[in-house]
Amino acid sequence: MHLRPLTTAHKTVGFTLIEVIIAMSIFAILAILSYSGLHSVIMSKTNTEASLERLQELQMTMLTLSSDLQQLSNREAHDALGGTLHPLSTQSSEFIIEFTHSGWRNPANLKRSSLQRVAYLLKDDALIRIYWPHIDRADDELRVERTLISNIESFELKFLNANQEWKVDWPSAEALTTAAPIVLPGAIEIRLKMHDWGEIYRLLKVAP
């Protein structure tokens, strides 16, 4: 009797080329899906933050406008040449509106009035607020400018007179031709048109 020698069979375990290709394809698809989802989340977060910043910018702008226009003062002002400026005027060739208002806070107790001379202008699609340190300006007095909001298409105002008529200019042409004193309007309508958010409307009652 012949005995066969004992041998151990060794089987190599691995992946075929097709299996490797399939695995790589699945990994690539998962990677693309993961990136798309992550990109969507990042873009959504970015857009949300931009919208919140825009909203805060708009809220601060309307708060500043409301605070200024609701505290109008009948105090006239004078320019650097000594000319008289109406308490409220839209007649300037540079500014949309210029006026005097009360309630200028003074937490540092500086030696100045609580009245402030303010103007607004629209420049390069930005609404800019300007004020002067004193109601009656000196020759060398510099004005202080601050951009409130950008990407603005238009900024329009209307004024309610004593006859309950809305005027786009103040003082109106009729008021300038009479000898009667020019009083402040009873209310002011604000229309702020934005390129991205459309038109914002606000009606303000002016303090008597």
Side-chain angles (χ1 to χ4, degrees):
M1 182 177 64
H2 298 283
L3 297 177
R4 293 182 178 180
L6 296 176
T7 59
T8 302
H10 294 281
K11 184 179 180 181
T12 303
V13 180
F15 296 102
T16 66
L17 178 61
I18 294 178
E19 290 173 333
V20 172
I21 293 174
I22 293 174
M24 291 180 65
S25 300
I26 294 173
F27 177 78
I29 293 172
L30 292 176
I32 292 173
L33 293 175
S34 299
Y35 174 78
S36 299
L38 178 62
H39 180 71
S40 298
V41 171
I42 293 174
M43 290 301 298
S44 177
K45 181 175 182 293
T46 302
N47 292 335
T48 300
E49 290 177 348
S51 296
L52 287 175
E53 290 178 2
R54 184 66 166 164
L55 178 60
Q56 291 175 351
E57 188 181 42
L58 176 59
Q59 289 176 331
M60 183 57 65
T61 298
M62 299 308 294
L63 179 63
T64 302
L65 279 167
S66 300
S67 177
D68 283 348
L69 294 173
Q70 286 181 317
Q71 300 184 82
L72 291 177
S73 171
N74 257 321
R75 165 75 152 80
E76 292 181 340
H78 296 88
D79 59 23
L81 300 177
T84 300
L85 303 172
H86 291 292
L88 170 66
S89 175
T90 60
Q91 308 297 331
S92 171
S93 59
E94 182 182 5
F95 309 124
I96 297 175
I97 186 172
E98 181 181 354
F99 55 90
T100 305
H101 80 87
S102 60
W104 187 14
R105 295 182 180 180
N106 189 9
N109 293 320
L110 301 176
K111 293 182 179 180
R112 63 165 174 80
S113 171
S114 62
L115 299 177
Q116 187 181 53
R117 191 69 180 181
V118 175
Y120 284 85
L121 66 85
L122 194 60
K123 182 179 180 182
D124 297 331
D125 290 347
L127 183 63
I128 300 173
R129 182 184 187 269
I130 300 167
Y131 80 86
W132 290 265
H134 302 94
I135 301 297
D136 302 315
R137 304 167 201 166
D139 289 338
D140 59 347
E141 189 165 60
L142 298 177
R143 66 192 196 185
V144 180
E145 298 187 5
R146 177 166 66 97
T147 298
L148 295 178
I149 190 170
S150 57
N151 202 18
I152 298 300
E153 182 176 342
S154 64
F155 175 58
E156 299 175 354
L157 299 166
K158 288 185 179 180
F159 308 91
L160 186 66
N161 65 14
N163 298 324
Q164 303 301 302
E165 299 170 330
W166 287 101
K167 301 293 182 180
V168 295
D169 291 317
W170 199 272
S172 63
E174 300 89 341
L176 290 172
T177 58
T178 64
I182 299 173
V183 297
L184 295 174
I188 299 176
E189 177 187 287
I190 300 173
R191 290 189 181 274
L192 187 68
K193 191 171 184 180
M194 311 165 72
H195 287 292
D196 50 352
W197 284 10
E199 189 174 76
I200 307 297
Y201 167 84
R202 181 70 60 86
L203 183 62
L204 303 175
K205 184 179 185 302
V206 176

